[in-house]
Amino acid sequence: MKKLRRKVYMVAGYNTISMGTGRKEFNPKKPRPGLEHYIKEAGQATLKKIGGAQNVDDCVIGNFMASRFNKQANLGAFFPMIDEGLRYKPGIAVEGACASGGLALMAGIKSILAETADVVLAVGFEVQNTVKAIYGADILAGAGWFMERKSGHAYFFPGKFSDRAGAYFEKYGRERTRKAMARWYRNAVENARLCPTAQEYNNTVKDLEAQGMMEPTPNSFVDHLNVFDCSKVSDGASAIAIVSEEGLKKIGIPSNETVEIMGFTHIQDDITKQPPEITALKTTNLAVKYALEIAGISINELATVETHDCFTIAGVMATEAIGFAKPGEGPDFILAGNTARDGKIPFNTTGGLIGWGHPTGATGVHQAVTVWEQLTGNAGAAQIQIPKDRSYALSVNMGGDDKTLVSIVYHRG
Amino acid sequence: MTYTERLENVSVLGAAGKMGSGILLLTAIEMADLSLKPENKDRLFVLNAVDISHKALGELMQFLKTQVRKIAEKKTVQLRKIYQEREDLIENEEIIDQYIFDVLNIVRPVTVLEATYESTLIFEAIIENPALKVKILTQIDRNNKKSPWFFTNTSSIPIHQLDESAELGGRIIGYHFYNPPAVQKLVELIQAKNTLPEIVEFANALAKNLRKKIVPSNDFAGFIGNGHFMRDALYGISEVQRLVNEMSFVEAVYTVNRISQDFLIRPMGIFQLIDYVGLDVCQYIMSVMNPHVQDEDLHSDLLDSFIKMGVKGGQYADGSQKDGFLKYEKGRPVGIYDADKKSYIPITEFQANIDEKLGPLPKSALSWKAIIGSSEKEEQLKVIFTELKTMKTVGSELAIRYGIRSKQIAEKLVSDNVAKTGEDVNTVLLTGFYHAYGPINAYFD
């Protein structure tokens, strides 16, 4: 694919709190706000920053499983609830498991490119704490092939990535990899402590790496992962505006307050097939490769990466899939400090899925919001330095076990 | 008869009660797990839940359903394996629902004693009334042709007394669970002198499968658990009666309750514990124990008078605490009963004054909650209580007296041959009462 035929920007991002275990205000025994609350909070915040609903031409909402977590479908029709001004305007819902948020961005970008809209409101959300984790595991298993559910683990997706971790240990060595996974966890929580909306913002554990090294408990969980290796169960929403050059004029925001989309990819692998190689993320690798090609840059020009660390082992494998480390050398890359916030290439600067949280349908949008904050200097305490000669950012949003991939390259507008 | 055969037909007497419901739950799970083993697929498992009220049995089934769900949710990884041949059960939720049904499907809620006549194992968890227990055990044994084994949950009646009065020929053992049975790890095992050795063997195997810790107690009224608790409670009451010379009654109750909780780092104060068990239950247990002890009087006029006024403590059906010595809001003490005024006086009215009088906790003090989960528990307790001993405050002196008395009670249980070792007494207090340390220690010497 060639370069984008029209300039596309993102601006006015907003994240709600990622609510769930870890947050001080979270009490599983008390009633909590529903999806309406989260959609409204994020949507209204973005609308406010772009001059209101009258500037919006099109809306898209990304969500994975409200149909089961909340018994709710027909999600596009929630846009008029955000703002009366969105009534009788278009609003679609998209789903691609944990890449639903990324797909919402895709749909918005395509509307801009198709010149059917100049301003698109993109929202992603998930409200998952409506059920206990053991039932949530059933719901999230929908990201895999249902024909595999019976033979799968009680915790289906942790089971999938536990199998990947086990194979990786066998092929490349357990100890080093386990240490890298614990380091990944530590980096995630340390970053989250700098971001007030992060689920692990209140985390005060002193020795995070020791905690991350806890031995797995196969009798009650999975063989090769402990709970700290897993992303959070979260309620939350994120929103961002996707805008053309004309759209920027309409909403009155200068381009240097935006990020420009330099390249993007959305690709799929066959959900009914096993991964070609269990110790590698092939679809991630291809999605990033294509996005970088479109942007015309190499990974050496990246200042930061937001990657889909649904499990620490997915973070380790992502460093290889993106191209920072050779197969089997991701653990060394991480243990050398390269992915930490003061490292060569800071990953997941507000905590990622493990530290910030993983309201599944929101995650893709949350990544874009974090990138927008970082590249425009709006990341607050979590702000990292963006070097002049390495000024691009990359996001990788994954649905299922490396099946649905959305990757985007950004630059300050 | 094998372990499995013994568990094919079981009855729980008093199944809807506080203890009975927990025993029923544990037994139902154990029996269901046996029934789900491939080698047992042709066996029929029946668990009679016997109680006097249909209403209570209805509530029991609701309790069971809720509790079995919680248990199933925790062992779904295993359940998926157990049900792996069932192609119709795919999601965790389907598997959990099936398991709940399979457990509940073993239970037969009944109000007639005839149901027990086919049972080979009978758990007895009815009210702590020796005559009634004897009557029921006798009736069952005379009508049951299978020579059933009786596991009694009595917490105070000597087992040999039940054995002899009901003419059971040694087919009885004391199997004393702690409240709530599904949670508390401790089972006190009491053999009467004639208890058959194969019963002891089975009782140990069952405890292992229920993941319970067995502490053997000799067959003396009250055994280890109540042997300590009742004397500890009487000491708390006597301290109140001593302190009323210098403060009001409610202030004295507050003081002793706080000393026994915060200063001694226990999960609850002694008066809260009495309320938890129930004043009337405590009174009853003491009355059962008292005829069997020679050198002391296990009885409290104060308890009698409170019970007469209708102040009884205990728990509501949903497990929440009824008011007793203390009044509770959301499970926390907020008032103390004044017998003269016949009403509860808010703790806030005198708390600050009394706390000042008692003096501060040691600087190194930690809450029971913080200590109980700590890996350096012993070292921390040593530091705290060493500091306590240097403080010379009213609070520290009361606490040390209390700690020393608790140790004396425990040592007497050993010297009276109720417990075989001091270690056994400590284990009972640690596991049955959730204490952070056993009463036999050097902290207060």
Side-chain angles (χ1 to χ4, degrees):
Chain A
M1 199 167 88
K2 293 176 186 165
K3 277 199 178 301
L4 277 59
R5 290 175 182 162
R6 201 181 178 208
K7 280 185 180 288
V8 182
Y9 301 92
M10 289 189 193
V11 70
Y14 182 87
N15 298 318
T16 69
I17 282 171
S18 179
M19 184 59 73
T21 53
R23 289 295 302 192
K24 274 185 181 162
E25 58 272 63
F26 179 71
N27 181 346
K29 287 180 183 156
K30 287 195 175 156
R32 287 175 300 280
L35 58 90
E36 299 82 359
H37 166 87
Y38 289 98
I39 294 171
K40 215 179 209 175
E41 180 185 333
Q44 287 181 345
T46 292
L47 286 180
K48 197 174 167 198
K49 294 181 194 186
I50 61 169
Q54 77 272 12
N55 287 334
V56 174
D57 303 314
D58 198 355
C59 302
V60 54
I61 192 160
N63 172 266
F64 175 19
M65 274 287 190
S67 54
R68 292 193 67 188
F69 281 120
N70 323 97
K71 314 270 190 257
Q72 182 64 60
N74 202 4
L75 301 173
F78 280 95
F79 279 106
M81 176 203 69
I82 297 174
D83 192 298
E84 175 83 14
L86 297 177
R87 213 169 172 191
Y88 308 127
K89 285 193 177 180
I92 59 162
V94 291
E95 187 276 311
C98 303
S100 299
L103 290 186
L105 301 177
M106 279 307 102
I109 292 169
K110 286 177 180 177
S111 284
I112 302 293
L113 290 175
E115 300 190 32
T116 56
D118 285 313
V119 177
V120 179
L121 173 63
V123 176
F125 82 94
E126 205 77 53
V127 174
Q128 302 179 278
N129 284 298
T130 51
V131 296
K132 288 185 181 174
I134 190 71
Y135 306 111
D138 283 336
I139 297 176
L140 297 170
W145 187 29
F146 189 66
M147 290 298 125
E148 287 181 18
R149 181 67 189 108
K150 178 67 184 170
S151 60
H153 197 278
Y155 293 92
F156 186 80
F157 263 91
K160 283 275 174 196
F161 279 84
S162 167
D163 291 349
R164 280 186 177 272
Y168 195 99
F169 294 163
E170 190 136 308
K171 192 167 177 183
Y172 299 119
R174 184 176 192 271
E175 199 186 334
R176 200 171 50 101
T177 310
R178 260 272 30 122
K179 280 185 183 160
M181 289 157 74
R183 176 69 63 83
W184 188 277
Y185 168 69
R186 173 186 151 188
N187 290 345
V189 173
E190 286 181 351
N191 284 339
R193 286 171 180 166
L194 301 170
C195 178
T197 55
Q199 206 162 324
E200 291 292 349
Y201 180 60
N202 303 125
N203 186 313
T204 55
V205 172
K206 284 191 189 115
D207 194 346
L208 290 163
E209 280 188 67
Q211 192 178 44
M213 289 299 284
M214 188 182 88
E215 278 301 312
T217 50
N219 274 339
S220 56
F221 196 48
V222 295
D223 293 349
H224 303 295
L225 302 176
N226 63 41
V227 292
F228 307 107
D229 289 315
C230 303
S231 53
K232 318 289 293 183
V233 174
S234 315
D235 300 348
S238 294
I240 202 162
I242 306 170
V243 190
S244 67
E245 277 187 288
E246 294 78 3
L248 281 186
K249 281 176 201 149
K250 186 159 80 169
I251 64 177
I253 293 179
S255 66
N256 68 355
E257 290 178 20
T258 72
V259 286
E260 185 182 347
I261 305 309
M262 310 309 292
F264 70 93
T265 311
H266 160 220
I267 57 172
Q268 318 269 4
D269 192 12
D270 185 344
I271 196 170
T272 69
K273 298 259 165 46
Q274 295 301 313
E277 195 184 340
I278 193 168
T279 55
L281 300 174
K282 179 71 182 166
T283 320
T284 300
N285 168 259
L286 290 174
V288 170
K289 185 167 166 261
Y290 299 156
L292 290 169
E293 273 173 22
I294 294 166
I297 65 158
S298 80
I299 54 170
N300 298 325
E301 289 165 83
L302 293 172
T304 181
V305 176
E306 284 296 308
T307 196
H308 196 96
D309 59 338
C310 43
F311 302 95
T312 53
I313 189 68
V316 173
M317 288 188 184
T319 61
E320 298 170 12
I322 295 168
F324 288 108
K326 290 185 187 138
E329 293 178 7
D332 305 310
F333 186 75
I334 293 161
L335 287 169
N338 291 307
T339 60
R341 59 185 305 103
D342 57 353
K344 187 172 144 194
I345 174 76
F347 270 63
N348 296 5
T349 55
T350 58
L353 285 65
I354 287 176
W356 188 82
H358 187 25
T360 43
T363 291
V365 181
H366 168 255
Q367 292 175 328
V369 174
T370 302
V371 165
W372 168 71
E373 287 171 345
Q374 288 291 5
L375 293 188
T376 57
N378 282 305
Q383 184 67 49
I384 54 160
Q385 279 255 305
I386 307 295
K388 285 216 167 65
D389 58 337
R390 295 193 289 115
S391 50
Y392 291 82
L394 173 76
S395 65
V396 180
N397 186 203
M398 175 168 73
D401 184 10
D402 200 35
K403 296 305 183 198
T404 294
L405 260 296
V406 174
S407 183
I408 302 175
V409 177
Y410 313 74
H411 195 272
R412 188 169 189 166
Chain B
M1 191 177 276
T2 64
Y3 175 85
T4 304
E5 285 163 352
R6 178 65 59 187
L7 282 166
E8 278 182 74
N9 193 313
V10 180
S11 292
V12 176
L13 311 175
K18 197 158 67 173
M19 299 303 288
S21 59
I23 295 169
L24 187 81
L25 169 65
L26 291 168
T27 314
I29 295 280
E30 173 65 2
M31 289 170 71
D33 287 352
L34 285 172
S35 78
L36 288 167
K37 288 187 174 169
E39 65 267 28
N40 293 331
K41 72 177 191 318
D42 296 327
R43 292 180 193 268
L44 183 68
F45 290 82
V46 171
L47 175 57
N48 298 303
V50 188
D51 214 298
I52 47 177
S53 146
H54 279 295
K55 182 168 177 285
L57 285 169
E59 287 163 3
L60 170 70
M61 294 310 282
Q62 186 58 53
F63 163 82
L64 271 187
K65 188 179 168 197
T66 307
Q67 296 303 315
V68 177
R69 176 173 294 282
K70 284 185 187 166
I71 290 166
E73 286 168 350
K74 282 188 191 143
K75 62 176 186 184
T76 312
V77 174
Q78 273 81 42
L79 292 178
R80 286 190 77 89
K81 288 176 192 150
I82 288 169
Y83 290 109
Q84 66 184 354
E85 303 301 324
R86 285 283 300 271
E87 284 177 16
D88 57 322
L89 304 175
I90 296 168
E91 297 207 307
N92 295 338
E93 187 162 14
E94 294 165 332
I95 285 164
I96 288 166
D97 285 346
Q98 181 65 47
Y99 184 70
I100 295 168
F101 178 79
D102 285 343
V103 176
L104 264 56
N105 196 28
I106 286 174
V107 179
R108 308 279 183 272
V110 291
T111 54
V112 289
L113 218 47
E114 284 80 354
T116 67
Y117 296 171
E118 294 292 316
S119 292
T120 45
L121 177 64
I122 291 160
F123 286 97
E124 176 278 302
I126 64 170
I127 185 171
E128 197 73 342
N129 177 329
L132 184 64
K133 283 189 200 268
V134 168
K135 179 173 170 259
I136 288 179
L137 297 190
T138 307
Q139 185 186 333
I140 293 173
D141 200 50
R142 284 189 185 151
N143 290 285
N144 183 319
K145 301 284 173 253
K146 307 209 163 170
S147 299
W149 291 355
F150 294 91
F151 279 42
T152 173
N153 189 57
T154 178
S155 62
S156 55
I157 307 166
I159 308 304
H160 68 266
Q161 184 186 324
L162 295 173
D163 186 26
E164 286 151 19
S165 305
E167 299 174 12
L168 300 174
R171 280 179 288 107
I172 185 167
I173 195 164
Y175 212 62
H176 179 214
F177 288 89
Y178 275 69
N179 185 22
V183 178
Q184 298 274 39
K185 287 275 167 254
L186 178 68
V187 170
E188 263 183 293
L189 189 77
I190 307 108
Q191 295 179 54
K193 53 182 180 293
N194 290 330
T195 296
L196 302 173
E198 54 266 38
I199 296 187
V200 180
E201 195 185 325
F202 173 87
N204 278 299
L206 179 67
K208 198 175 162 215
N209 289 341
L210 302 183
R211 294 194 181 81
K212 298 296 174 196
K213 176 154 184 67
I214 289 271
V215 172
S217 169
N218 282 330
D219 193 14
F220 288 93
F223 317 122
I224 299 173
N226 279 331
H228 187 277
F229 170 43
M230 291 304 146
R231 291 174 175 95
D232 203 44
L234 286 172
Y235 176 72
I237 291 169
S238 75
E239 280 290 85
V240 165
Q241 285 162 338
R242 190 172 67 86
L243 288 169
V244 289
N245 297 321
E246 44 194 289
M247 55 177 79
S248 73
F249 176 78
V250 292
E251 288 171 337
V253 170
Y254 170 80
T255 297
V256 176
N257 197 60
R258 173 142 197 260
I259 292 292
S260 52
Q261 180 169 14
D262 295 348
F263 283 76
L264 290 182
I265 318 182
R266 289 183 178 183
M268 50 174 88
I270 190 68
F271 287 100
Q272 191 178 352
L273 182 59
I274 295 171
D275 287 350
Y276 178 78
V277 173
L279 278 70
D280 50 349
V281 176
C282 289
Q283 180 195 44
Y284 205 94
I285 292 173
M286 287 181 197
S287 75
V288 173
M289 286 170 68
N290 211 17
H292 299 276
V293 296
Q294 271 78 50
D295 51 354
E296 53 192 327
D297 182 23
L298 301 182
H299 171 257
S300 162
D301 291 336
L302 183 70
L303 274 184
D304 293 352
S305 69
F306 266 54
I307 292 161
K308 222 176 216 171
M309 288 184 281
V311 178
K312 289 183 185 169
Q315 280 140 49
Y316 292 102
D318 68 354
S320 62
Q321 181 64 47
K322 289 183 188 171
D323 295 341
F325 277 104
L326 314 179
K327 180 183 172 64
Y328 300 87
E329 273 173 16
K330 291 180 183 168
R332 291 201 179 138
V334 294
I336 293 176
Y337 194 74
D338 184 326
D340 296 335
K341 294 184 183 153
K342 299 229 172 359
S343 66
Y344 286 91
I345 311 297
I347 288 175
T348 46
E349 280 187 15
F350 51 81
Q351 184 172 25
N353 266 343
I354 297 295
D355 285 353
E356 199 186 333
K357 188 171 175 170
L358 296 181
L361 292 172
K363 285 196 185 66
S364 54
L366 290 165
S367 68
W368 169 80
K369 212 172 172 184
I371 283 279
I372 197 85
S374 168
S375 52
E376 297 143 22
K377 200 171 72 171
E378 279 169 36
E379 207 39 51
Q380 288 167 322
L381 286 166
K382 206 172 163 187
V383 170
I384 296 167
F385 291 132
T386 304
E387 189 189 338
L388 184 82
K389 281 190 287 191
T390 64
M391 288 173 65
K392 311 288 175 216
T393 57
V394 175
S396 70
E397 276 162 18
L398 284 171
I400 290 160
R401 271 167 66 92
Y402 211 114
I404 290 170
R405 174 61 189 149
S406 175
K407 184 177 179 177
Q408 286 167 352
I409 295 169
E411 282 171 338
K412 187 158 188 298
L413 289 170
V414 181
S415 63
D416 284 353
N417 205 21
V418 177
K420 290 193 175 69
T421 65
E423 199 50 43
D424 283 348
V425 184
N426 280 355
T427 303
V428 168
L429 272 293
L430 288 165
T431 55
F433 290 80
Y434 274 119
H435 282 197
Y437 55 96
I440 300 184
N441 59 64
Y443 298 134
F444 307 103
D445 296 350

